[in-house]
Amino acid sequence: MARSSSGFVAGLTAVAVAAVAFLAYQASASAPTPAQLAADSRTPAKAPTAAATDKPKKPRKDPITLPEGSGKGERVVYSLDERRVWLVDAKNKITQSFTVMPSTVSPKPGSYAVTSRTASVLGSDGVQIEHVVRFAVAKDVAVGFSAAVDGSTPSPDPAKKTGGIRMKRTDADALWAFASIGAKVVVVP
């Protein structure tokens, strides 16, 4: 009898392991991609987009102050018109502000959250980049902040759909340290 019950237990164990493996496979196959996560309810329903080839609009008198309508609390604020980013702490104090080179595809104004981060990767434009902080999807392109390893911030090729908002390496270091997964990013016109 001991022999048959141990065979029964071994059989149950094998079935359980197979079931767990199958469920793990199903879960990984159906897990949302970063692009799908970014396209969820955080994505605003309407607003115009701005392209990198558009010239920046006339700057405000004091570009270091936060734009109106940028929210409250800890967040990254990205102004499409001013091509500027502000890092804002929980007390609504600006900890850093810097200019950026926008991508050819821009997110709509609204509130987003950081969905993924990559330390180093080859950009869609073929440039080696670092400190990639993705927060949106626009026109089926992942949009995020990054810095070119070579330190360059050229205007992107308007013929290509790219989502990389480029900045100086020191600015990307600061944003990388500030914006972890789930961090709020507010895009304003």
Side-chain angles (χ1 to χ4, degrees):
M1 188 141 190
R3 182 174 274 223
S4 65
S5 76
S6 67
F8 178 72
V9 171
L12 281 177
T13 303
V15 169
V17 168
V20 168
F22 176 74
L23 291 173
Y25 167 77
Q26 267 190 322
S28 68
S30 64
T33 65
Q36 290 167 326
L37 288 172
D40 68 6
S41 63
R42 291 183 306 263
T43 304
K46 60 182 178 177
T49 60
T53 56
D54 296 340
K55 296 215 188 261
K57 295 196 169 122
K58 185 178 178 183
R60 295 178 296 128
K61 287 183 181 180
D62 183 5
I64 303 304
T65 61
L66 284 169
E68 289 184 32
S70 68
K72 294 195 182 299
E74 187 172 301
R75 67 200 181 281
V76 175
V77 177
Y78 171 42
S79 171
L80 298 169
D81 292 346
E82 294 184 45
R83 298 179 176 191
R84 178 171 285 281
V85 167
W86 294 262
L87 305 181
V88 185
D89 70 14
K91 295 179 180 177
N92 225 34
K93 180 183 174 199
I94 299 168
T95 62
Q96 194 160 350
S97 179
F98 44 86
T99 58
V100 297
M101 176 55 66
S103 53
T104 60
V105 175
S106 295
K108 295 176 181 178
S111 184
Y112 300 84
V114 173
T115 56
S116 69
R117 295 167 26 114
T118 304
S120 180
V121 68
L122 189 63
S124 58
D125 57 0
V127 174
Q128 188 66 35
I129 57 175
E130 64 184 359
H131 294 157
V132 182
V133 178
R134 294 176 203 86
F135 65 92
V137 174
K139 299 180 183 177
D140 297 324
V141 175
V143 178
F145 304 107
S146 64
V149 172
D150 67 7
S152 65
T153 57
S155 294
D157 181 348
K160 293 183 179 179
K161 284 175 55 174
T162 61
I165 302 161
R166 297 287 166 80
M167 57 191 65
K168 294 176 187 169
R169 291 181 79 188
T170 55
D171 297 335
D173 291 346
L175 193 136
W176 177 262
F178 185 86
S180 58
I181 298 291
K184 186 176 184 178
V185 177
V186 178
V187 178
V188 297

